[in-house]
Amino acid sequence: CREKTNSFFGREELLTNVHSRIELNRRNVSTPIAFIAESGCGKTSFMARLAKELRVWYPSSAVFIRFLGTTAPSTNIELVIRSLCKQLKKLYGSDDEYEDENDTSITFSSLVRIFHERLKSISKKRSNNLKKKTFPKPLFILLDAIDQLDETSKYSFQFDTWLLRYLPRDVHIFISFIPLINKLNLKDLFLQFIRNDETTLLSRANQNTPDNVIFEIIAKGQNNNGNPPVEAPVGGEEDIE
């Protein structure tokens, strides 16, 4: 993550925009936020920098970041979700009946249900002063380069098969991807997923970088300009806590 931030060319305005968006989402129903830009525009370095800034803005938070496509397992959406489930269980505990997230007999839909249930349980977690047990909040999950997921999987780009449209309180998800893969329009698929309507925000932050990078932030809502590290079992993944 540190190496990836070395190529970050500023974009402080975009970071400020994201911070404002998070604060707004903490008071309203929110959806995942997508950063969309062409290949080579610095999405990965931005996501790495954002992960570091999140720990500054929210010192008691947990930050999970995945750099998809850096290893073979990290191109498989099922393995990525399994690893997230394992992390969530280790950090927050689990009230569900599933003991082994690595059980290959679990169907994809069941795995996603586990993932969603564990995300929803975070807002219900309360610190236990007697046992000196604290739960990091909020939780931030960053998935960089969704476009690097396996195109042959029927689930990779069908966001509604694995991603929550409306996020629980204390949970924030950021994803990044290029707009098009061959003839597949990921931007349109994501907009359909969050039900593009009058309340959908499409804002641009044009940064004065050498590449004149333009990021698109897509999110639903109004426009409003410690624990030790958890292991990351799938390659291409890092945790910042």
Side-chain angles (χ1 to χ4, degrees), residues 12 14-20 22-23 26 46 49-61 138 140 174:
E12 303 300 330
L14 181 56
L15 285 171
T16 300
N17 187 301
V18 172
H19 193 187
S20 298
I22 294 171
E23 287 299 301
R26 295 182 75 183
F46 176 78
R49 171 65 183 276
L50 175 59
K52 293 181 66 175
E53 292 300 322
L54 288 170
R55 288 296 290 143
V56 175
W57 298 337
Y58 307 98
S60 64
S61 67
F140 297 99
F174 301 89

Side-chain angles (χ1 to χ4, degrees), residues 180-231:
L180 298 170
I181 301 178
N182 297 323
K183 296 182 179 180
L184 190 63
N185 192 317
L186 295 186
K187 174 184 170 182
D188 284 352
L189 288 175
F190 186 76
L191 279 170
Q192 292 169 16
F193 164 67
I194 60 172
R195 295 176 179 174
N196 189 15
D197 57 28
E198 294 180 358
T199 62
T200 297
L201 167 69
L202 174 61
S203 65
R204 294 173 179 266
N206 189 350
Q207 307 299 310
N208 295 318
T209 67
D211 300 315
N212 193 31
V213 174
I214 295 180
F215 278 95
E216 291 180 331
I217 305 177
I218 300 180
K220 194 178 182 69
Q222 293 177 297
N223 189 357
N224 187 324
N225 298 336
N227 289 0
V230 179
E231 68 173 314

Side-chain angles (χ1 to χ4, degrees), residues 26-91:
R26 295 182 75 183
R27 300 188 297 272
N28 299 277
V29 174
S30 65
T31 63
I33 293 178
F35 300 95
I36 307 173
E38 297 295 341
S39 179
C41 287
K43 295 184 299 299
T44 295
S45 59
F46 176 78
M47 292 286 272
R49 171 65 183 276
L50 175 59
K52 293 181 66 175
E53 292 300 322
L54 288 170
R55 288 296 290 143
V56 175
W57 298 337
Y58 307 98
S60 64
S61 67
V63 181
F64 298 165
I65 184 167
R66 299 290 190 272
F67 299 105
L68 306 181
T70 55
T71 64
S74 67
T75 65
N76 185 308
I77 186 60
E78 180 174 344
L79 293 181
V80 171
I81 292 177
R82 283 182 187 274
S83 71
L84 288 170
C85 286
K86 185 175 181 179
Q87 285 185 279
L88 289 168
K89 181 177 180 178
K90 187 167 185 176
L91 191 58

